[in-house]
Every structure is written in C-alpha cells, then in structure tokens.
C-alpha cells in the first residue's frame, strides 16, 4: 500500500474509493484490478472533471490505470497521447486488428477482448474524434471514414486490414 502523496492523488483516491466501493486504495493500485470497467471508467471521467475541472478522456485509463499515473497525466507532468488510435497492444507477428468504437466513441469496452486475443495480436481501438477536446467531432460518415483510414494507415500502410466495430462502430468500420 502506498498512500497518496499530494492533493491530486488524495482527490483521486477519494473518487476511486467512492466509485469502486473499495477502501484503502493505494496510488499504485490498478483501476481494472480493483473491479473497474468501461462503465465505471466513464463515471470516473465525469467525477474527475466535476471535482477538478480537468477533462479526462476515458481511454486515459489504458495508459494511466493507477492513481499515481493518472494524477501525473491530469497535472500535465506527463503528456496525453493524441489522435484517434488507442493502442492496446502494439507488438506481435499477426496483422493488427482495428476496433472502431460505437456511440460515445470510447474504446475502453474493447480492453478485455484485446487481452483475450493474446500476446501475438496487435490491437488498436479507434476512438471517436473530438473526445480529447482539442478538435471538433466530425459529422459526415465519409469524413469520419477518411480520417480513420488515414489514422489506420499511419500504423499499417498496406492491407489487408482487419477492422471490427461495435454498434455504430460496425457501421463506421463497414464504411472504412
């Protein structure tokens, strides 16, 4: 157990303990190991923004799944990754799988599936455009597909491509 060492860590621990209904959360404890999932992550992002005024993309928990790392991200000590591709696993010998988010644009729902696919399968989530607050969301299906194609080709310049989608993400994946 590592206790919070600053105001941001204390604030995050309090939010996590209330949200996850777990007591004595340390700053090195993993959100997902404590029972967090995509729905609680969305609730966490809303609570963090309400308490701190800092917007937190839900996918931040993939690179910062502990209080310590999330606090560093929120305070600007480390930089957020930008773009719509969220890497779950970047290594492996198989062609990458790109999973397009549904309504809401969050890719955290694919985390468990990405783990189950194994160490040899590179997996990327394709997150909704505009979730980072730095650019406006795109409206037209063709515009969204063009942007996703550009992002996917930045990782894999040539096909064949393996693309999946959930809910509205399936429709967007088909357009891509």
């Amino acid at each position: 157990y590592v206790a919070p060492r600053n105001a941001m860590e204390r604030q995050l621990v309090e939010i996590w303990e209330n949200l996850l209904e777990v007591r004595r959360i340390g700053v090195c404890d993993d959100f997902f190991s404590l029972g967090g999932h995509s729905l609680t992550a969305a609730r966490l992002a809303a609570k963090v923004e309400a308490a701190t005024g800092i917007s937190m993309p839900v996918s931040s928990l993939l690179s910062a799944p502990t209080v310590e790392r999330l606090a560093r991200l929120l305070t600007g000590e480390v930089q957020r990754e930008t773009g719509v591709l969220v890497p779950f696993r970047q290594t492996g010998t198989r062609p990458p799988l790109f999973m397009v988010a549904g309504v809401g644009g969050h890719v955290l729902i694919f985390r468990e599936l990405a783990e189950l696919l194994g160490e040899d399968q590179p997996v990327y989530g394709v997150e909704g455009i505009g979730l980072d607050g730095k650019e406006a969301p795109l409206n037209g299906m063709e515009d969204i597909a063009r942007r996703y194609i550009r992002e996917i080709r930045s990782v894999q310049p040539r096909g064949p491509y393996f693309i999946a989608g959930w809910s509205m993400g399936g429709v967007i994946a088909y357009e891509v």
Side-chain angles (χ1 to χ4, degrees):
Y1 172 78
V2 178
R5 298 160 294 206
N6 58 48
M8 179 60 81
E9 288 181 351
R10 279 189 291 282
Q11 197 168 25
L12 288 174
V13 164
E14 183 179 326
I15 293 169
W16 284 32
E17 287 180 343
N18 290 329
L19 184 66
L20 298 170
E21 297 179 354
V22 174
R23 298 296 165 246
R24 198 167 154 86
I25 292 177
V27 299
C28 298
D29 292 337
D30 183 274
F31 178 79
F32 301 105
S33 297
L34 293 169
H37 50 75
S38 61
L39 294 177
T40 51
R43 290 177 45 214
L44 174 67
K47 289 183 180 296
V48 166
E49 185 168 2
T52 66
I54 301 169
S55 177
M56 179 194 107
V58 175
S59 61
S60 299
L61 286 169
L62 294 171
S63 62
T66 65
V67 166
E68 176 182 43
R69 290 171 66 185
L70 188 58
R72 293 179 67 212
L73 188 73
L74 294 173
T75 59
E77 193 175 324
V78 295
Q79 295 298 311
R80 291 183 195 172
E81 292 184 24
T82 58
V84 299
L85 290 185
V86 177
F88 288 97
R89 183 176 308 102
Q90 295 177 286
T91 59
T93 61
R94 301 176 73 188
L97 172 62
F98 300 92
M99 297 188 294
V100 182
V103 173
H106 301 290
V107 297
L108 206 56
I109 195 164
F110 299 128
R111 189 187 71 80
E112 189 174 346
L113 175 59
E115 287 179 10
L116 292 172
L117 290 173
E119 293 295 318
D120 199 35
Q121 178 64 63
V123 181
Y124 294 84
V126 184
E127 193 165 59
I129 297 165
L131 294 178
D132 60 4
K134 295 183 180 180
E135 61 182 302
L138 298 176
N139 292 320
M141 184 66 72
E142 294 82 14
D143 292 338
I144 294 170
R146 262 193 295 281
R147 173 66 183 277
Y148 286 1
I149 290 167
R150 190 169 61 245
E151 296 282 340
I152 288 168
R153 284 183 174 157
S154 74
V155 170
Q156 183 186 349
R158 290 192 159 55
Y161 297 100
F162 296 93
I163 304 170
W166 174 75
S167 186
M168 183 61 178
V171 175
I172 298 169
Y174 182 77
E175 181 71 23
V176 169

